């Protein structure tokens, strides 16, 4: 019965997260904040996280999310539209359009990089725009194979969107979950290195810092003093 209960929890979670991300993707603009909210949700343990954690994360980071949303719309939406147009209208290609296509590909790559790194930075640190841009790049170096796997995951989804979009809804739960796990591990490795401790020691300390408040909710002490943790990182 316990296994069936756990399966039911994951199945219900899969349906809700998929529907939220699918709806936000259709509306376009809410999709970027929703991905950050989902990463904040996945940060919690399966037994303690609640769906309202998604919207709590968005509300707590709304200022940086305004910039991040505009930033991602420019670097992903427009390049994808350009690439799709040029791939379906080869007769319009000339020197200028090749240049626009090259710029679009570079912009899309930058957008994908920040799509996998920025949500983890926003969820785990209190940052301004400059710090978000800098730390988003640095997070890639927490683990090369994890970064490449995350990039390949997003790249594969973008390819599906442009070539064969029907299976995309099935990836709306697995992809954010996988990227969240991989990039959070990168974050812990960089943080452990900056503090001069092992990843195991860091995770152990973070686990010991968890406690239950008067409402029985799990809180993490490192999030109560984001300014101090930002300086530390």
């Amino acid at each position: 019965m316990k296994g069936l209960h756990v399966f039911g929890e994951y199945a219900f979670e899969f349906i809700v997260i998929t529907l939220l991300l699918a709806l936000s993707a259709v509306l376009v603009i809410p999709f970027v904040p929703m991905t950050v909210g989902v990463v904040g949700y996945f940060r919690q343990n399966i037994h303690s996280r609640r769906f309202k954690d998604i919207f709590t994360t968005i509300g707590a980071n709304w200022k940086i999310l305004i910039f991040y949303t505009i930033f991602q719309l420019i670097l992903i939406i427009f390049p994808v539209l350009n690439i799709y147009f040029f791939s379906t209208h080869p007769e319009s290609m000339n020197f200028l359009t090749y240049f626009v296509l090259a710029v679009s590909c570079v912009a899309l790559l930058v957008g994908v990089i920040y799509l996998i790194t920025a949500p983890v930075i926003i969820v785990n640190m209190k940052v301004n725009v400059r710090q978000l841009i800098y730390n988003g790049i640095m997070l890639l170096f927490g683990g090369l194979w994890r970064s490449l796997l995350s990039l390949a995951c997003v790249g594969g989804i973008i390819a599906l969107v442009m070539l064969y979009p029907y299976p995309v809804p099935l990836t709306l739960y697995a992809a954010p979950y996988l990227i969240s796990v991989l990039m959070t591990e990168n974050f812990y490795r960089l943080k452990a290195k900056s503090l001069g401790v092992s990843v195991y020691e860091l995770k152990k300390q973070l686990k010991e810092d968890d406690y239950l408040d008067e409402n029985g909710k799990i809180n993490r002490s490192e999030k109560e003093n984001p300014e101090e943790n930002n300086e530390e990182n």
Side-chain angles (χ1 to χ4, degrees):
M1 291 296 294
K2 184 178 179 180
L4 185 61
H5 176 72
V6 172
F7 174 79
E9 284 185 338
Y10 277 108
F12 182 67
E13 182 179 87
F14 172 84
I15 293 172
V16 173
I17 296 296
T18 299
L19 288 176
L20 286 175
L21 286 173
L23 178 60
S24 64
V26 170
L27 298 175
V28 181
I29 294 178
F31 180 72
V32 175
M34 187 61 68
T35 57
V36 176
V38 169
V39 169
Y41 171 80
F42 284 140
R43 185 177 186 269
Q44 308 298 328
N45 183 275
I46 178 64
H47 302 296
S48 62
R49 62 195 183 206
R50 295 167 298 173
F51 293 120
K52 82 171 192 176
D53 292 335
I54 298 173
F55 304 98
T56 301
T57 300
I58 295 173
N61 299 283
W62 68 271
K63 290 183 179 180
I64 191 67
L65 283 177
I66 293 175
F67 162 79
Y68 179 56
T69 299
I70 297 173
F71 179 78
Q72 285 296 78
L73 288 176
I74 294 173
L75 290 180
I76 291 183
I77 300 300
F78 293 113
V80 166
L81 292 176
N82 285 338
I83 294 171
Y84 177 79
F85 175 80
F86 292 137
S87 64
T88 55
H89 297 79
E91 69 281 356
S92 64
M93 297 300 292
N94 53 48
F95 176 79
L96 180 60
T97 54
Y98 276 117
F99 175 77
V100 173
L101 180 60
V103 172
S104 298
C105 291
V106 173
L108 182 59
L109 176 60
V110 174
V112 168
I113 288 174
Y114 281 99
L115 188 63
I116 69 172
T117 60
V120 173
I121 296 296
I122 293 172
V123 167
N124 288 280
M125 299 175 64
K126 185 178 178 64
V127 294
N128 55 34
V129 172
R130 181 183 61 82
Q131 292 167 337
L132 177 64
I133 293 175
Y134 173 76
N135 289 320
I137 293 296
M138 292 304 298
L139 189 60
L140 292 175
F141 300 99
L144 182 59
W145 73 268
R146 285 184 292 272
S147 298
L148 291 176
L149 184 58
S150 298
L151 288 171
C153 182
V154 177
I157 294 175
I158 292 176
L160 282 176
V161 169
M162 292 190 293
L163 300 175
Y164 192 73
Y166 303 107
V168 170
L170 299 178
T171 69
L172 292 178
Y173 177 90
Y177 178 78
L178 177 64
I179 292 170
S180 176
V181 170
L182 295 173
M183 289 295 103
T184 299
E185 184 65 22
N186 277 13
F187 176 80
Y188 285 146
R189 289 183 176 274
L190 288 176
K191 184 174 182 179
K193 184 178 180 179
S194 68
L195 296 176
V197 299
S198 68
V199 177
Y200 171 79
E201 292 172 331
L202 175 62
K203 290 182 177 179
K204 181 180 178 182
Q205 182 61 48
L206 293 177
K207 187 175 182 180
E208 291 173 352
D209 287 343
D210 286 346
Y211 66 94
L212 295 177
D213 64 11
E214 65 273 12
N215 297 316
K217 301 175 183 177
I218 293 180
N219 286 310
R220 190 176 294 279
S221 60
E222 68 165 329
K223 293 297 286 181
E224 293 187 3
N225 298 294
E227 292 83 3
E228 294 179 8
N229 284 285
N230 184 45
E231 294 175 2
E232 199 174 67
N233 281 277

